[in-house]
Short mmCIF file of all heavy atoms in Angstrom, two decimals:
data_model
loop_
_atom_site.label_atom_id
_atom_site.label_comp_id
_atom_site.label_asym_id
_atom_site.label_seq_id
_atom_site.Cartn_x
_atom_site.Cartn_y
_atom_site.Cartn_z
N GLU A 2 4.07 -0.37 -10.41
CA GLU A 2 2.81 0.29 -10.07
C GLU A 2 1.91 -0.54 -9.15
O GLU A 2 0.93 -0.04 -8.61
CB GLU A 2 2.04 0.62 -11.35
CG GLU A 2 1.38 -0.57 -12.01
CD GLU A 2 0.61 -0.22 -13.28
OE1 GLU A 2 0.68 0.95 -13.72
OE2 GLU A 2 -0.05 -1.12 -13.82
N MET A 3 2.23 -1.81 -8.95
CA MET A 3 1.31 -2.69 -8.22
C MET A 3 0.99 -2.23 -6.80
O MET A 3 -0.18 -2.22 -6.41
CB MET A 3 1.84 -4.12 -8.25
CG MET A 3 1.64 -4.79 -9.61
SD MET A 3 1.91 -6.59 -9.61
CE MET A 3 3.69 -6.63 -9.68
N PRO A 4 1.97 -1.84 -5.98
CA PRO A 4 1.60 -1.41 -4.61
C PRO A 4 0.65 -0.22 -4.59
O PRO A 4 -0.26 -0.17 -3.75
CB PRO A 4 2.95 -1.06 -3.98
CG PRO A 4 3.95 -1.85 -4.75
CD PRO A 4 3.43 -1.88 -6.15
N SER A 5 0.82 0.72 -5.51
CA SER A 5 -0.07 1.88 -5.53
C SER A 5 -1.48 1.53 -5.98
O SER A 5 -2.42 2.30 -5.77
CB SER A 5 0.50 2.97 -6.46
OG SER A 5 0.40 2.60 -7.81
N ARG A 6 -1.64 0.36 -6.60
CA ARG A 6 -2.96 -0.10 -7.04
C ARG A 6 -3.60 -1.08 -6.04
O ARG A 6 -4.64 -1.64 -6.30
CB ARG A 6 -2.86 -0.81 -8.40
CG ARG A 6 -2.20 -0.01 -9.51
CD ARG A 6 -2.93 1.30 -9.78
NE ARG A 6 -2.52 1.89 -11.03
CZ ARG A 6 -1.66 2.89 -11.17
NH1 ARG A 6 -1.08 3.40 -10.09
NH2 ARG A 6 -1.37 3.37 -12.35
N GLY A 7 -2.91 -1.30 -4.92
CA GLY A 7 -3.44 -2.24 -3.95
C GLY A 7 -3.25 -3.69 -4.36
O GLY A 7 -3.94 -4.58 -3.85
N ILE A 8 -2.31 -3.96 -5.27
CA ILE A 8 -2.06 -5.31 -5.74
C ILE A 8 -0.88 -5.88 -4.96
O ILE A 8 0.19 -5.26 -4.89
CB ILE A 8 -1.75 -5.33 -7.25
CG1 ILE A 8 -2.94 -4.75 -8.03
CG2 ILE A 8 -1.44 -6.74 -7.73
CD1 ILE A 8 -2.66 -4.57 -9.51
N THR A 9 -1.07 -7.04 -4.39
CA THR A 9 -0.03 -7.68 -3.59
C THR A 9 0.23 -9.10 -4.11
O THR A 9 -0.53 -9.63 -4.92
CB THR A 9 -0.46 -7.77 -2.11
OG1 THR A 9 -1.57 -8.68 -2.01
CG2 THR A 9 -0.88 -6.40 -1.58
N ARG A 10 1.28 -9.70 -3.60
CA ARG A 10 1.57 -11.10 -3.94
C ARG A 10 0.44 -12.02 -3.49
O ARG A 10 0.18 -13.06 -4.09
CB ARG A 10 2.88 -11.55 -3.28
CG ARG A 10 4.13 -10.95 -3.89
CD ARG A 10 5.36 -11.49 -3.18
NE ARG A 10 6.58 -10.90 -3.67
CZ ARG A 10 7.28 -11.37 -4.71
NH1 ARG A 10 6.85 -12.45 -5.34
NH2 ARG A 10 8.39 -10.78 -5.08
N GLN A 11 -0.24 -11.60 -2.42
CA GLN A 11 -1.30 -12.43 -1.87
C GLN A 11 -2.57 -12.39 -2.72
O GLN A 11 -3.19 -13.43 -2.97
CB GLN A 11 -1.63 -12.00 -0.43
CG GLN A 11 -0.55 -12.37 0.59
CD GLN A 11 0.74 -11.55 0.40
OE1 GLN A 11 0.68 -10.35 0.12
NE2 GLN A 11 1.88 -12.21 0.55
N ASN A 12 -2.97 -11.17 -3.17
CA ASN A 12 -4.23 -11.10 -3.92
C ASN A 12 -4.06 -11.28 -5.42
O ASN A 12 -5.04 -11.52 -6.12
CB ASN A 12 -5.00 -9.80 -3.60
CG ASN A 12 -4.24 -8.54 -4.00
OD1 ASN A 12 -3.45 -8.53 -4.93
ND2 ASN A 12 -4.51 -7.46 -3.27
N ARG A 13 -2.83 -11.15 -5.95
CA ARG A 13 -2.60 -11.39 -7.37
C ARG A 13 -1.26 -12.10 -7.59
O ARG A 13 -0.35 -11.57 -8.25
CB ARG A 13 -2.62 -10.07 -8.15
CG ARG A 13 -3.99 -9.46 -8.33
CD ARG A 13 -4.92 -10.32 -9.19
NE ARG A 13 -4.34 -10.63 -10.47
CZ ARG A 13 -4.40 -9.82 -11.53
NH1 ARG A 13 -5.01 -8.66 -11.43
NH2 ARG A 13 -3.85 -10.18 -12.68
N PRO A 14 -1.10 -13.31 -7.07
CA PRO A 14 0.17 -14.02 -7.28
C PRO A 14 0.45 -14.30 -8.74
O PRO A 14 1.60 -14.37 -9.16
CB PRO A 14 -0.03 -15.31 -6.47
CG PRO A 14 -1.51 -15.50 -6.39
CD PRO A 14 -2.07 -14.12 -6.30
N ASP A 15 -0.61 -14.46 -9.55
CA ASP A 15 -0.43 -14.72 -10.97
C ASP A 15 0.24 -13.55 -11.68
O ASP A 15 1.12 -13.74 -12.52
CB ASP A 15 -1.79 -15.00 -11.62
CG ASP A 15 -2.79 -13.87 -11.41
OD1 ASP A 15 -2.75 -13.22 -10.34
OD2 ASP A 15 -3.61 -13.64 -12.31
N ARG A 16 -0.16 -12.33 -11.32
CA ARG A 16 0.43 -11.16 -11.97
C ARG A 16 1.90 -11.01 -11.58
O ARG A 16 2.75 -10.72 -12.44
CB ARG A 16 -0.34 -9.90 -11.59
CG ARG A 16 0.31 -8.62 -12.09
CD ARG A 16 -0.63 -7.45 -12.11
NE ARG A 16 0.08 -6.21 -12.39
CZ ARG A 16 -0.49 -5.14 -12.91
NH1 ARG A 16 -1.77 -5.16 -13.24
NH2 ARG A 16 0.21 -4.04 -13.13
N PHE A 17 2.22 -11.18 -10.32
CA PHE A 17 3.61 -11.11 -9.88
C PHE A 17 4.47 -12.11 -10.64
O PHE A 17 5.54 -11.78 -11.15
CB PHE A 17 3.71 -11.37 -8.37
CG PHE A 17 3.68 -10.13 -7.53
CD1 PHE A 17 2.46 -9.64 -7.08
CD2 PHE A 17 4.83 -9.44 -7.22
CE1 PHE A 17 2.41 -8.49 -6.29
CE2 PHE A 17 4.79 -8.30 -6.44
CZ PHE A 17 3.58 -7.82 -5.97
N ALA A 18 4.00 -13.35 -10.71
CA ALA A 18 4.79 -14.40 -11.35
C ALA A 18 4.95 -14.14 -12.85
O ALA A 18 6.05 -14.31 -13.40
CB ALA A 18 4.13 -15.76 -11.12
N ARG A 19 3.87 -13.72 -13.50
CA ARG A 19 3.95 -13.50 -14.94
C ARG A 19 4.90 -12.38 -15.30
O ARG A 19 5.72 -12.50 -16.21
CB ARG A 19 2.55 -13.21 -15.50
CG ARG A 19 2.52 -13.12 -17.02
CD ARG A 19 1.12 -12.93 -17.54
NE ARG A 19 1.02 -13.28 -18.95
CZ ARG A 19 -0.09 -13.18 -19.66
NH1 ARG A 19 -1.20 -12.76 -19.10
NH2 ARG A 19 -0.08 -13.51 -20.94
N LEU A 20 4.79 -11.26 -14.59
CA LEU A 20 5.66 -10.12 -14.90
C LEU A 20 7.11 -10.44 -14.56
O LEU A 20 8.02 -10.01 -15.28
CB LEU A 20 5.18 -8.88 -14.14
CG LEU A 20 3.91 -8.24 -14.69
CD1 LEU A 20 3.40 -7.16 -13.74
CD2 LEU A 20 4.14 -7.67 -16.08
N ALA A 21 7.35 -11.18 -13.49
CA ALA A 21 8.72 -11.57 -13.16
C ALA A 21 9.32 -12.42 -14.27
O ALA A 21 10.48 -12.24 -14.67
CB ALA A 21 8.74 -12.32 -11.84
N ASP A 22 8.52 -13.36 -14.81
CA ASP A 22 9.00 -14.20 -15.91
C ASP A 22 9.28 -13.38 -17.16
O ASP A 22 10.29 -13.59 -17.84
CB ASP A 22 7.98 -15.29 -16.23
CG ASP A 22 7.93 -16.38 -15.17
OD1 ASP A 22 8.87 -16.45 -14.35
OD2 ASP A 22 6.96 -17.16 -15.16
N LEU A 23 8.39 -12.45 -17.47
CA LEU A 23 8.57 -11.63 -18.68
C LEU A 23 9.79 -10.73 -18.55
O LEU A 23 10.57 -10.58 -19.50
CB LEU A 23 7.32 -10.79 -18.92
CG LEU A 23 6.08 -11.57 -19.39
CD1 LEU A 23 4.82 -10.72 -19.22
CD2 LEU A 23 6.24 -11.99 -20.84
N LEU A 24 9.96 -10.12 -17.40
CA LEU A 24 11.15 -9.29 -17.18
C LEU A 24 12.42 -10.12 -17.27
O LEU A 24 13.41 -9.70 -17.91
CB LEU A 24 11.07 -8.61 -15.81
CG LEU A 24 10.30 -7.29 -15.72
CD1 LEU A 24 10.08 -6.90 -14.27
CD2 LEU A 24 11.04 -6.19 -16.46
N ASP A 25 12.40 -11.28 -16.67
CA ASP A 25 13.58 -12.15 -16.72
C ASP A 25 13.89 -12.56 -18.15
O ASP A 25 15.06 -12.63 -18.55
CB ASP A 25 13.35 -13.38 -15.85
CG ASP A 25 14.58 -14.27 -15.78
OD1 ASP A 25 15.59 -13.84 -15.21
OD2 ASP A 25 14.52 -15.40 -16.32
N HIS A 26 12.84 -12.82 -18.94
CA HIS A 26 13.06 -13.22 -20.34
C HIS A 26 13.73 -12.10 -21.13
O HIS A 26 14.70 -12.34 -21.88
CB HIS A 26 11.73 -13.59 -20.99
CG HIS A 26 11.86 -13.95 -22.44
ND1 HIS A 26 12.33 -15.17 -22.86
CD2 HIS A 26 11.60 -13.25 -23.57
CE1 HIS A 26 12.35 -15.22 -24.19
NE2 HIS A 26 11.91 -14.05 -24.63
N GLU A 27 13.23 -10.87 -20.99
CA GLU A 27 13.83 -9.75 -21.73
C GLU A 27 15.25 -9.49 -21.26
O GLU A 27 16.15 -9.21 -22.07
CB GLU A 27 12.98 -8.49 -21.59
CG GLU A 27 11.59 -8.59 -22.17
CD GLU A 27 11.56 -8.94 -23.65
OE1 GLU A 27 12.56 -8.66 -24.36
OE2 GLU A 27 10.55 -9.48 -24.11
N LEU A 28 15.49 -9.58 -19.96
CA LEU A 28 16.85 -9.39 -19.44
C LEU A 28 17.78 -10.48 -19.97
O LEU A 28 18.94 -10.20 -20.32
CB LEU A 28 16.84 -9.40 -17.91
CG LEU A 28 16.29 -8.14 -17.24
CD1 LEU A 28 16.01 -8.40 -15.77
CD2 LEU A 28 17.27 -6.99 -17.40
N THR A 29 17.30 -11.71 -20.03
CA THR A 29 18.12 -12.80 -20.55
C THR A 29 18.48 -12.56 -22.02
O THR A 29 19.63 -12.77 -22.43
CB THR A 29 17.37 -14.14 -20.42
OG1 THR A 29 17.11 -14.38 -19.04
CG2 THR A 29 18.18 -15.29 -20.98
N GLU A 30 17.50 -12.10 -22.81
CA GLU A 30 17.76 -11.79 -24.22
C GLU A 30 18.80 -10.69 -24.35
O GLU A 30 19.71 -10.76 -25.18
CB GLU A 30 16.47 -11.38 -24.92
CG GLU A 30 15.47 -12.50 -25.13
CD GLU A 30 15.97 -13.50 -26.15
OE1 GLU A 30 16.40 -13.09 -27.23
OE2 GLU A 30 15.96 -14.72 -25.83
N LEU A 31 18.68 -9.66 -23.54
CA LEU A 31 19.61 -8.54 -23.62
C LEU A 31 21.00 -8.94 -23.11
O LEU A 31 22.01 -8.49 -23.65
CB LEU A 31 19.07 -7.35 -22.81
CG LEU A 31 17.82 -6.69 -23.42
CD1 LEU A 31 17.15 -5.76 -22.41
CD2 LEU A 31 18.18 -5.92 -24.69
N ARG A 32 21.05 -9.79 -22.09
CA ARG A 32 22.35 -10.29 -21.62
C ARG A 32 23.02 -11.11 -22.72
O ARG A 32 24.23 -10.97 -22.97
CB ARG A 32 22.16 -11.14 -20.38
CG ARG A 32 21.78 -10.40 -19.11
CD ARG A 32 21.50 -11.38 -18.00
NE ARG A 32 20.91 -10.75 -16.82
CZ ARG A 32 19.89 -11.25 -16.14
NH1 ARG A 32 19.34 -12.40 -16.52
NH2 ARG A 32 19.41 -10.62 -15.08
N ARG A 33 22.24 -11.99 -23.36
CA ARG A 33 22.80 -12.83 -24.42
C ARG A 33 23.32 -11.96 -25.56
O ARG A 33 24.40 -12.20 -26.10
CB ARG A 33 21.73 -13.79 -24.94
CG ARG A 33 22.24 -14.76 -26.01
CD ARG A 33 21.14 -15.66 -26.50
NE ARG A 33 20.60 -16.49 -25.42
CZ ARG A 33 19.35 -16.45 -24.99
NH1 ARG A 33 18.50 -15.59 -25.56
NH2 ARG A 33 18.94 -17.23 -24.03
N ASP A 34 22.57 -10.93 -25.90
CA ASP A 34 23.01 -10.03 -26.96
C ASP A 34 24.28 -9.30 -26.55
O ASP A 34 25.19 -9.09 -27.36
CB ASP A 34 21.91 -9.01 -27.28
CG ASP A 34 22.34 -7.98 -28.29
OD1 ASP A 34 22.53 -8.36 -29.46
OD2 ASP A 34 22.51 -6.81 -27.91
N GLY A 35 24.36 -8.91 -25.25
CA GLY A 35 25.56 -8.23 -24.78
C GLY A 35 26.79 -9.11 -24.88
O GLY A 35 27.87 -8.64 -25.26
N VAL A 36 26.65 -10.39 -24.55
CA VAL A 36 27.77 -11.33 -24.67
C VAL A 36 28.20 -11.45 -26.12
O VAL A 36 29.40 -11.43 -26.45
CB VAL A 36 27.39 -12.70 -24.09
CG1 VAL A 36 28.45 -13.73 -24.42
CG2 VAL A 36 27.18 -12.60 -22.59
N GLN A 37 27.24 -11.57 -27.03
CA GLN A 37 27.56 -11.70 -28.45
C GLN A 37 28.24 -10.44 -28.97
O GLN A 37 29.18 -10.51 -29.78
CB GLN A 37 26.28 -11.98 -29.24
CG GLN A 37 25.68 -13.35 -28.94
CD GLN A 37 24.31 -13.53 -29.57
OE1 GLN A 37 23.68 -12.57 -30.01
NE2 GLN A 37 23.83 -14.77 -29.57
N ARG A 38 27.80 -9.28 -28.51
CA ARG A 38 28.41 -8.02 -28.94
C ARG A 38 29.87 -7.95 -28.49
O ARG A 38 30.75 -7.56 -29.25
CB ARG A 38 27.65 -6.81 -28.37
CG ARG A 38 26.37 -6.48 -29.10
CD ARG A 38 25.55 -5.49 -28.29
NE ARG A 38 24.52 -4.93 -29.12
CZ ARG A 38 24.60 -3.78 -29.75
NH1 ARG A 38 25.69 -3.06 -29.66
NH2 ARG A 38 23.61 -3.34 -30.49
N ARG A 39 30.10 -8.33 -27.22
CA ARG A 39 31.47 -8.30 -26.72
C ARG A 39 32.36 -9.28 -27.48
O ARG A 39 33.53 -9.00 -27.76
CB ARG A 39 31.48 -8.59 -25.22
CG ARG A 39 30.95 -7.46 -24.36
CD ARG A 39 31.22 -7.69 -22.89
NE ARG A 39 30.46 -8.80 -22.36
CZ ARG A 39 29.23 -8.69 -21.86
NH1 ARG A 39 28.64 -7.51 -21.84
NH2 ARG A 39 28.61 -9.75 -21.37
#
């Protein structure tokens, strides 16, 4: 939703970085679970 709100990497670098870290964390957890399931 950030581009539609006028939020860019330049005016809110903190938001970009935080959400990228959070998404990566959840993906890492789900990948780890997938390996364990297999």
Side-chain angles (χ1 to χ4, degrees):
E2 75 179 7
M3 285 192 280
S5 71
R6 305 301 195 259
I8 300 173
T9 67
R10 288 182 183 272
Q11 288 69 40
N12 62 29
R13 286 295 305 276
D15 56 326
R16 174 162 171 156
F17 267 90
R19 186 176 199 181
L20 286 171
D22 287 345
L23 289 164
L24 275 169
D25 184 67
H26 177 77
E27 297 302 336
L28 285 166
T29 299
E30 289 291 310
L31 291 166
R32 289 174 189 136
R33 183 181 298 118
D34 176 69
V36 171
Q37 293 171 346
R38 282 167 166 264
R39 287 191 292 272

